[in-house]
Amino acid sequence: FVFLIAVPLTCYFILYAKEGILFLSGNEYMPAVLPMQIIMPTIIFIGLTNIMGIQMLVPMGLEKVVLYSEIAGAIVDLILNTLLIPRLVSVGAAIGTLVAECVVWIVQFAALRKEVTPAYKNVRYGKVLLATVIGVASSGWVKTLEMGNFATLLMSAVLSFGGYAIVLTVLKEPLVWEIENQVFTKLKGMIK
């Protein structure tokens, strides 16, 4: 589920970082576009570590692994921030945060390797990546319309995430079919 949600969100907001920053903050924040693009993959790592840490390690009585993973991430972030921020400013901070979240994931994955490897093997990475590429590509032309930031974000999001969902439906991704069936069942119940 994390991959199904986080991968398209990450890719979408890397492509539409400029429009998102301009819509939320204005021209004064244009220097934040590149750091936002760099930091976006943390969505994937944070989603995975929340599941592994909170939903697996803690119930297994391995809270210390969660603590150690966070400490390792904090140390890496501190070191990278110290080295990179003076030279790269906010880009350096974004790189430090991304690498730190990756370190947290590595520590937790190492602790749960036997338990989570089957789940990681069951992810249909090819389908998710293909659907993401098609979804994001189907919205790319919206940037050329110069409609304003909100309209661009709205139209591109509908095209990108709609295309993503359609591709996964056509490819018969089981989790997507399950979610769609639940939505249609609830809609039928509301109509009756």
Side-chain angles (χ1 to χ4, degrees):
F1 183 76
V2 170
F3 281 103
L4 282 177
I5 301 300
V7 170
L9 274 175
T10 296
C11 293
Y12 177 82
F13 280 108
I14 287 172
L15 181 63
Y16 289 97
K18 178 182 172 186
E19 291 78 9
I21 294 289
L22 288 173
F23 174 68
L24 293 172
S25 306
N27 286 330
E28 299 80 21
Y29 289 87
M30 280 299 291
V33 171
L34 181 58
M36 180 178 172
Q37 291 171 321
I38 292 168
I39 208 167
M40 285 311 299
T42 61
I43 292 173
I44 299 167
F45 291 117
I46 291 169
L48 295 171
T49 57
N50 278 338
I51 290 172
M52 290 189 301
I54 296 168
Q55 295 180 11
M56 295 181 76
L57 290 167
V58 170
M60 293 169 71
L62 299 172
E63 297 90 351
K64 286 186 179 181
V65 175
V66 178
L67 175 65
Y68 298 149
S69 70
E70 297 296 333
I71 290 171
I75 290 169
V76 167
D77 201 18
L78 178 66
I79 292 168
L80 289 177
N81 284 343
T82 302
L83 296 172
L84 298 177
I85 289 176
R87 294 184 191 125
L88 302 174
V89 194
S90 58
V91 169
I95 292 168
T97 300
L98 176 59
V99 174
E101 290 299 338
C102 184
V103 167
V104 172
W105 177 82
I106 289 169
V107 171
Q108 291 184 10
F109 181 83
L112 291 169
R113 184 180 356 221
K114 290 178 187 172
E115 291 83 3
V116 298
T117 297
Y120 278 88
K121 286 182 178 178
N122 285 333
V123 175
R124 291 156 187 88
Y125 299 101
K127 287 182 180 182
V128 171
L129 292 175
L130 177 65
T132 300
V133 168
I134 291 172
V136 171
S138 70
S139 71
W141 62 273
V142 174
K143 285 179 163 265
T144 65
L145 298 178
E146 299 180 21
M147 300 183 302
N149 296 315
F150 179 74
T152 297
L153 288 170
L154 181 63
M155 187 171 182
S156 63
V158 169
L159 290 170
S160 184
F161 298 115
Y164 177 75
I166 289 168
V167 171
L168 287 178
T169 300
V170 169
L171 294 175
K172 297 182 179 180
E173 171 58 38
L175 186 55
V176 172
W177 277 60
E178 182 181 330
I179 292 168
E180 289 172 353
N181 285 334
Q182 288 177 2
V183 168
F184 290 135
T185 301
K186 285 187 181 189
L187 287 174
K188 286 179 186 176
M190 291 172 57
I191 293 171
K192 290 181 180 183

